[in-house]
C-alpha cells in the first residue's frame, strides 16, 4: 500500500516540472563558475557545494510547501481523515517523493560537473564530502517546506517560504565571525569556507571531514524534527502515532542542537580548514604524499601533479633562466 502511494506521488509530484529549471539554474550558477576554475577538486567541489545549495534550497522549499499545503488549500483535510492511512503517513510519503526527485536532479547535476572535472585530468580522487552535504540538505529543505505548507496552508506559503529560506541561508554566512561560530553548521558553508586563504587544501593537505560530519548530523536532526512536528497535530493520527512523532521530533532537535554545539567548538587549522576537536583525527593532519611531475629540461622543472597542466607554461616562463643556468653549468 505504501509503495503504491509512493509511486502515485512520484508520478504527480510538482517537483517533476521543476527539474528543467533546476538544471538551468545549476548550469548558470554552479557549473559555469565551477569549470571557470582550474581543474582542481578542492576548488570545484567546495564552490559547487555553496552554489548548489543556493540553487536547490529555494526551489525545493517552495515546491514542498506547495505540496504540503495541498490538502488544506483544497479543503480536503476532513475528507481524507477517513482514509486507510493516517495523515502523517500520507505527508511523509509526499515528502519522500519530493525529496527523491530533488535528489535525482542534484545527483545528475553534480555527476556532470564531477565528470567534466575528471575528464580534464584533475589529480587525485573526487571530494565526496561537499557533494554529500549538499545531498543531505535536500531532505531537510523539503521537510521545512512541507511543514510550512501543512501548518499554514495558503497560496502565499510557497513563495514566502522559498524567499525566506534563501535569505536565511545568506544571513548565516554573514553571521560567521571567527572560527568558533555556531553558524558554520549551515550547509551553505563549505570546509574551508575561506578557501582563498590556502588553495593547497586537499592537494598538499588532507581535506578535514570534521565540519561536514557535524553538518550531516545537523541536517539529519533538522529533517527528523520537522517531520516529527507534522505528526503532532490532533488530526495526524492516533495517540501512539503522535507519541512516536513527538519522540522523533525530540531526537531530531537533540541531534541538531548537538551538531550546532560542536560547530561552536571548531578552530581553524594552519591550512584554513575547520577542525572540530571531538571529531578530529590526528591522521588527517598528515600531508598528502605525491610524486612530482618533471619536465626533461637541462635543469629539471617539477610541479605537483595536480598542477601538471601548468608545467609547459612554467617551463616557457623560466626558459631564459634555465638557458642561462644551463650555459653556466656547461
Amino acid at each position: 500500500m505504501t509503495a503504491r502511494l509512493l509511486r502515485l506521488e512520484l508520478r504527480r509530484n510538482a517537483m517533476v516540472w521543476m527539474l528543467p529549471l533546476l538544471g538551468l539554474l545549476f548550469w548558470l550558477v554552479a557549473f559555469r563558475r565551477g569549470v571557470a576554475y582550474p581543474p582542481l577538486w578542492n576548488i570545484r567541489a567546495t564552490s559547487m557545494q555553496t552554489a548548489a545549495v543556493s540553487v536547490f534550497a529555494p526551489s525545493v522549499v517552495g515546491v514542498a510547501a506547495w505540496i504540503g499545503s495541498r490538502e488544506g488549500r483544497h479543503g480536503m483535510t476532513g475528507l481524507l481523515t477517513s482514509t486507510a492511512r493516517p495523515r502523517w503517513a500520507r505527508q511523509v510519503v509526499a515528502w519522500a517523493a519530493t525529496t527523491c526527485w530533488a535528489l535525482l536532479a542534484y545527483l545528475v547535476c553534480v555527476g556532470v560537473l564531477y565528470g567534466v572535472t575528471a575528464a580534464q585530468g584533475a589529480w587525485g580522487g573526487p571530494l565526496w564530502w561537499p557533494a554529500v552535504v549538499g545531498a543531505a540538505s535536500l531532505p531537510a529543505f523539503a521537510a521545512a517546506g512541507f511543514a510550512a505548507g501543512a501548518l499554514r496552508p495558503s497560496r502565499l506559503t510557497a513563495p514566502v517560504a522559498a524567499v525566506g529560506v534563501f535569505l536565511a541561508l545568506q544571513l548565516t554566512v554573514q553571521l560567521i565571525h571567527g572560527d568558533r561560530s555556531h553558524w558554520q553548521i549551515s550547509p551553505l558553508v563549505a570546509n574551508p569556507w575561506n578557501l582563498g586563504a590556502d588553495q593547497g587544501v586537499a592537494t598538499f593537505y588532507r581535506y578535514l571531514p570534521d565540519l561536514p560530519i557535524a553538518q550531516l548530523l545537523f541536517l539529519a536532526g533538522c529533517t527528523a524534527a520537522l517531520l516529527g512536528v507534522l505528526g503532532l497535530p490532533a488530526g495526524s493520527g492516533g495517540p501512539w502515532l503522535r507519541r512516536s512523532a513527538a519522540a522523533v521530533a525530540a531526537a531530531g532537535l537533540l541531534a541538531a542542537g548537538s551538531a550546532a554545539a560542536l560547530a561552536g567548538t571548531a578552530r581553524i587549522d594552519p591550512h584554513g580548514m575547520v577542525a572540530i576537536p571531538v571529531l578530529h583525527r590526528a591522521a588527517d593532519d598528515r600531508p598528502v604524499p605525491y610524486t612530482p611531475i618533471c619536465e626533461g629540461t637541462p635543469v629539471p622543472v617539477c610541479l605537483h601533479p595536480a598542477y601538471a597542466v601548468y608545467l609547459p607554461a612554467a617551463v616557457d616562463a623560466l626558459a631564459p633562466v634555465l638557458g642561462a643556468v644551463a650555459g653556466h653549468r656547461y
Side-chain angles (χ1 to χ4, degrees), residues 19-327:
L19 298 183
L21 178 60
L22 285 174
L24 177 61
L25 291 175
F26 184 87
W27 179 75
L28 289 173
V29 178
F31 184 83
R32 292 178 61 192
R33 185 173 70 176
V35 296
Y37 292 128
L40 300 173
W41 288 114
N42 57 351
I43 299 178
R44 291 194 178 183
T46 51
S47 65
M48 180 277 303
Q49 175 185 336
T50 301
V53 171
S54 300
V55 167
F56 277 82
S59 302
V60 173
V61 169
V63 173
W66 183 259
I67 297 173
S69 64
R70 182 173 53 196
E71 295 182 6
R73 285 185 292 106
H74 294 288
M76 300 177 61
T77 304
L79 179 64
L80 293 175
T81 303
S82 59
T83 58
R85 293 290 179 181
R87 183 185 181 190
W88 191 39
R90 297 194 308 271
Q91 290 174 331
V92 171
V93 171
W95 161 81
T98 305
T99 302
C100 287
W101 283 118
L103 282 173
L104 176 62
Y106 176 82
L107 293 176
V108 170
C109 292
V110 173
V112 171
L113 177 60
Y114 273 38
V116 170
T117 303
Q120 292 178 343
W123 177 81
L127 287 184
W128 296 115
W129 284 112
V132 171
V133 171
S137 68
L138 300 183
F141 290 135
F146 208 98
L151 299 177
R152 290 291 183 269
S154 169
R155 294 182 180 274
L156 296 178
T157 302
V160 170
V163 174
V165 166
F166 178 80
L167 294 178
L169 284 174
Q170 301 302 322
L171 181 63
T172 58
V173 180
Q174 302 301 321
L175 292 175
I176 297 177
H177 300 290
D179 54 353
R180 296 184 181 274
S181 173
H182 298 282
W183 296 104
Q184 295 178 110
I185 203 66
S186 168
L188 199 64
V189 178
N191 187 18
W193 61 272
N194 56 345
L195 182 62
D198 191 341
Q199 297 186 4
V201 170
T203 302
F204 295 100
Y205 315 104
R206 299 182 186 276
Y207 187 90
L208 298 184
D210 302 6
L211 181 60
I213 292 175
Q215 289 173 325
L216 291 177
L217 178 61
F218 175 77
L219 293 169
C222 289
T223 303
L226 291 167
L227 292 179
V229 168
L230 290 175
L232 296 181
S236 300
W240 180 87
L241 185 145
R242 294 173 63 192
R243 285 194 293 267
S244 300
V248 170
L253 288 175
L254 179 61
S258 300
L262 287 175
T265 65
R267 59 178 176 81
I268 302 297
D269 74 354
H271 313 304
M273 296 287 287
V274 178
I276 299 177
V278 175
L279 303 175
H280 188 65
R281 298 186 310 168
D284 292 330
D285 294 329
R286 301 173 184 172
V288 178
Y290 66 93
T291 302
I293 301 295
C294 299
E295 185 71 19
T297 54
V299 179
V301 177
C302 300
L303 292 178
H304 190 285
Y307 306 101
V309 65
Y310 300 110
L311 185 56
V315 173
D316 292 341
L318 295 173
V321 178
L322 295 176
V325 173

